[in-house]
Amino acid sequence: MTSRRTFIKAGLLGGLVLGAGGVWYAASREQAPAGRLTRSARSMFQAITPVMLAGMLGEGSGRIERVVDGVERAVAGLSAAAQSELADLFGLLGFYPVRKLLTGIGDWRLATPADIEASLSGWRFHHYALLQGAYAAMHDLVLGAWYAQPESWEAIAYPGPPEVR
Amino acid sequence: MTIRDPIREGLAAGWKVLDASLIESPRTLEADVVIVGTGAGGGIAAEIMTAAGFDVILVEEGPLRSTHDFRMLEAEAYPQLYQESAARKTRDKAINILQGRCVGGSTTVNWASSFRTPAATLAFWRERYGLTEYTPEALQPWFEMVERRLGIGPWERAPNMNNALLRSGATALGIPVGEIRRNVRDCWNLGYCGMGCPTGAKQSMLVTTIPTALGRGATLIHHLRAQRLLSAGARIDALECQPIQADGIHPRQTAVTLRARHFVLAAGAIGTPALLLRSNLPDPYSLTGRRTFLHPTVIAAGQFAKAVHGHAGAPQSLYSDHFLEQYPIDGPLGFKLEVPPLHPVLFSTTLQGFAAEHAEAMRGFAHTHAQLALLRDGFHPESHGGRVELRADGTPVLDYPLNEPIWEGARRALLTMAEIQFAAGAIRVLPVHEQCRGYANWGEAKEGIARLPMKPLLTRVVSAHVMGGAAMSASAETGLTSPDGSLRHVDNVSVFDGSVFPTSIGSNPQLSIYAITARNASILTSRMTGRPAPPLA
């Protein structure tokens, strides 16, 4: 479990890295084809999805991939400005030193659900608007991508749209 | 019953409709009047001006989708029909804005609530902005004309449970509740107005004024963003436009230039000020995009033992203005109470929390009744609203600082909604706030809400009503536009949309935009023709 204290420290250090490490980070940043998530953003969403949707996602096969595909479609539908802001955010979180500092997570695939949950909770109430915004973006993207899919509706007793013709 | 799609019928009949995402080479078109935007303002202006015989070009940034395309799926509707996939946000991301971006504008996706401009709002405009002709009596014929045209009338069916719970809770507390009039004909009572009406019942611009204007020979160009007005002295000569790719997002390089005698701006209260800012027109008092209002809205979800099914049935049929009338209009912010339709994506993304906390609330989806409190901004001396600014790529962003008068009203509104929901029999009430896990009774809620920190990104704030930014006023110092909507400092531009409101409306704004546009477009038409303007069909 990452403690609140670590987050406060990470917040301060994170600010320094974000301020001073921009060039280094920009040079190493991974690019993805238009409309697609980068490989590191995909692995981040693969890790975050089952945690964000704990207690709802269930065991169905391929569900996580379908949510991540939905996130990818949702991002591709945003304004160019929002897409570029998200690309910056995903780039930062895909950048090992920043990710390690802000979340304590080295590799998304090796992180435990408890670590990820602690990261999300930390961002949610962080005093840095950047991280609060990161949490809000993950929240809306992952939950929106899941509840857009008809397979999510039975669990919430939503019958789907009626027939009109 | 056969469902008609007037747009598809018209396309088959040979209407002049161009998709700018397909235009191959630069081109210049000419008309008497160019109208930017096809929402409430653009639609009404198009019908009136084509009736007077003008050759009109309508410009729409979004796509053309019509009745038969609407499948009531959030996954399709938000990216296709809304600005920024329904995720448009203010600069600090603290307010999410729902705004249409498609032919018909927000009228294609709104919830059909129709209110005349409140008398108290008009009185404030007369007193503070010298809009002496804006009296309820003088506007009445315009309201009656658009109400007839758009089938605006009482909702004859029973309210759905989501709305009925607002009434039962309010009534138990002695709070009066009114019935909302709606712009529908032969409505199927489905509840999917926000995803484009699949039966053509909602009398949006898409199925009324726009088909009428196109039937009279107007040209519609969609996937086309109005970029810049080009002036020659005090006259605007041309409008430079940028086609948008089929994805609806990325611009194309092929330029389209539109020439006209007169330009009507109806791109909404973010789009219109943004176009003016990009055009760099004279603005000696620096008013463009200032005082942009949102009716900042807070939300509370109540859980009930019985099923509510908030997704089904007319989304808004009951309201209360009791808390708009408690204090003087420029005192502590008043709020209007309404309910929102509940659909899985909009509800799940609005609701706070994640994992077990969120899953538990979602399992109660079908038993949830939600309320909205729309804060009336722009009247309190410290409620200045926001400011439309341009990003480096020329697209607009609204900077709207949430300040103390808003937060004071937001807390009062959250308290009020919780009290009403418990009075209606809620077993749990969840104000939408990151630090709130819900309350089991009114006593608990009263104590808890009093302690919630009212801060951006913690208290969920949303908006579906963007107003102001090019206010009308009798004085050039406080109004970028004159009381008839004409833009000051140039000769041949009018603003016919919600941008001209000097404050928020204090009610869902569509009917205010329809009626004030009908008035001002008629004044313009008769000035251009020397004859009285013909009425709407």
Side-chain angles (χ1 to χ4, degrees), chain B residues 32-33 48-56 261 524-525 528-529:
Chain B
D32 296 321
V33 180
I48 289 175
M49 300 195 83
T50 51
F54 288 121
D55 185 20
V56 168
R261 282 166 63 193
L524 171 68
T525 299
M528 289 175 73
T529 59

Side-chain angles (χ1 to χ4, degrees), chain B residues 483-507:
Chain B
D484 64 358
S486 52
L487 184 68
R488 291 182 198 275
H489 319 297
V490 293
D491 290 343
N492 57 335
V493 176
S494 301
V495 179
F496 293 160
D497 63 14
S499 319
V500 297
F501 302 154
T503 61
S504 75
I505 294 286
S507 257

Side-chain angles (χ1 to χ4, degrees), chain A residues 51-52 54-56 76-81 85 120 124-125 135 139-140 143-144 147-148 156 158-162 164-165, chain B residues 67 72 84-85 93 188 190 192 198 249 311 344-345 348-349 351 353-359 362-363 365 391 434-435:
Chain A
V51 176
M52 189 72 87
M56 193 48 90
L78 294 173
S79 68
E85 272 183 41
L120 290 172
R124 184 179 173 191
F125 297 113
Y135 166 77
H139 174 274
D140 291 7
L143 295 168
Y147 288 106
I156 60 170
Y158 171 63
V164 295
R165 355 193 121 81
Chain B
T67 310
M72 299 177 279
E84 308 187 29
S85 276
K93 314 239 182 326
W188 292 32
L190 297 175
Y192 288 79
I249 297 163
H311 68 275
V345 172
S348 66
T349 55
L351 204 61
F354 66 100
E357 174 190 356
H358 191 274
M362 287 306 292
R363 267 190 289 277
F365 176 75
R391 296 192 185 95
E434 289 296 343
Q435 291 186 4

Side-chain angles (χ1 to χ4, degrees), chain B residues 214-227:
Chain B
L214 294 176
R216 289 174 182 152
T219 300
L220 167 67
I221 317 179
H222 58 91
H223 281 91
L224 188 66
R225 184 179 290 158
Q227 202 60 22

Side-chain angles (χ1 to χ4, degrees), chain A residues 42-94:
Chain A
R42 270 199 90 83
S43 69
M44 174 177 71
F45 279 108
Q46 282 159 348
I48 285 177
T49 295
V51 176
M52 189 72 87
L53 283 163
M56 193 48 90
L57 190 63
E59 294 295 314
S61 83
R63 285 186 171 178
I64 293 175
E65 281 309 306
R66 286 194 293 279
V67 171
V68 179
D69 289 345
V71 168
E72 187 169 75
R73 280 194 300 275
V75 172
L78 294 173
S79 68
Q83 287 191 48
S84 125
E85 272 183 41
L86 282 177
D88 285 347
L89 174 66
F90 298 160
L92 276 177
L93 294 172

Side-chain angles (χ1 to χ4, degrees), chain B residues 141-273:
Chain B
W142 301 109
F143 282 121
E144 287 171 352
M145 186 199 285
V146 297
E147 286 163 1
R148 237 180 356 255
R149 175 70 180 96
L150 303 176
I152 293 172
W155 175 238
E156 308 284 358
R157 313 273 289 265
N160 69 4
M161 181 62 75
N162 198 23
N163 280 273
L165 286 167
L166 168 62
R167 179 162 61 195
S168 57
T171 306
L173 297 171
I175 297 164
V177 166
E179 294 177 4
I180 298 180
R181 295 191 304 156
R182 312 181 66 234
N183 56 322
V184 294
R185 287 191 169 104
D186 301 321
C187 174
W188 292 32
N189 200 21
L190 297 175
Y192 288 79
C193 315
M195 296 171 217
C197 180
T199 70
K202 182 171 64 178
Q203 301 295 289
S204 67
M205 299 299 98
L206 183 66
V207 300
T208 57
T209 55
I210 289 169
T212 299
L214 294 176
R216 289 174 182 152
T219 300
L220 167 67
I221 317 179
H222 58 91
H223 281 91
L224 188 66
R225 184 179 290 158
Q227 202 60 22
R228 220 152 53 96
L229 293 160
L230 305 176
S231 53
R235 284 194 71 77
I236 299 300
D237 229 21
L239 174 69
E240 203 176 77
C241 298
Q242 190 172 42
I244 307 286
Q245 294 178 28
D247 68 6
I249 297 163
H250 297 95
R252 300 174 68 222
Q253 291 316 314
T254 332
V256 171
T257 306
L258 304 178
R259 297 184 179 281
R261 282 166 63 193
H262 199 91
F263 294 85
V264 169
L265 309 188
I270 291 178
T272 291

